[in-house]
Amino acid sequence: GPDSFLDQASFLDPAGAAAEGVYITRPKLPLSERYPEWQKRYETTYRTTLPEFSFIPQAYDAASILMEAAEKVVIKRKDGSLLIGRKALADAIRSTDYEGVTGRMNFDAAGDRTDVVTEIARVVRGVVRTTE
């Protein structure tokens, strides 16, 4: 199942004994040393605790990469409008070497992140255990 199965209240408790033996996958991403500082800024800004199982840090990095790539390739027209070519944007993202909240990121020719490792966990006696 997906990483949302790691949540006690929405999956493990309601599933009870039926959750036994379920495998759960999620990306295992390195967190940079800046992550605690970023988390504190997030929680101060939004006045809420960052959910334990969340892709918010990854979404933040993705948006940052996209905006930086767009700034590199944007064409400013005489009328004030902006043009961002699809291929130019894709090429800029694929050539990215970015140190973000979730660690260093690089991309392959297909645009996929090159350093993602999938973490596999399993429910054993009602507890999620990571299998490494």
Side-chain angles (χ1 to χ4, degrees), residues 27-124:
K28 183 177 183 179
L29 298 172
L31 298 178
S32 73
E33 292 176 1
R34 291 181 289 168
Y35 183 81
E37 179 184 317
W38 180 87
Q39 182 174 351
K40 184 176 181 180
R41 277 196 336 262
Y42 173 90
E43 292 175 350
T44 299
T45 300
Y46 297 104
R47 296 186 178 124
T48 186
T49 302
L50 183 67
E52 184 178 354
F53 303 110
S54 164
F55 282 103
I56 294 170
Q58 291 88 340
Y60 177 86
D61 281 344
S64 297
I65 289 168
L66 180 61
M67 288 188 288
E68 282 188 18
E71 286 178 4
K72 289 178 186 175
V73 300
V74 67
I75 297 170
K76 297 177 184 175
R77 295 179 170 173
K78 290 180 183 179
D79 66 0
S81 64
L82 304 176
L83 175 67
I84 300 173
R86 181 181 289 179
K87 182 175 180 343
L89 183 61
D91 289 345
I93 290 170
R94 289 177 182 137
S95 67
T96 294
D97 182 16
Y98 180 83
E99 180 67 35
V101 172
T102 60
R104 176 137 322 268
M105 284 165 268
N106 295 284
F107 301 88
D108 63 18
D112 294 321
R113 195 167 164 182
T114 59
D115 63 342
V116 176
V117 175
T118 300
E119 180 178 75
I120 301 172
R122 188 171 186 204
V123 179
V124 179

Side-chain angles (χ1 to χ4, degrees), residues 16-31:
E20 188 65 26
V22 167
Y23 285 93
I24 303 164
T25 61
R26 68 176 174 182
K28 183 177 183 179
L29 298 172
L31 298 178

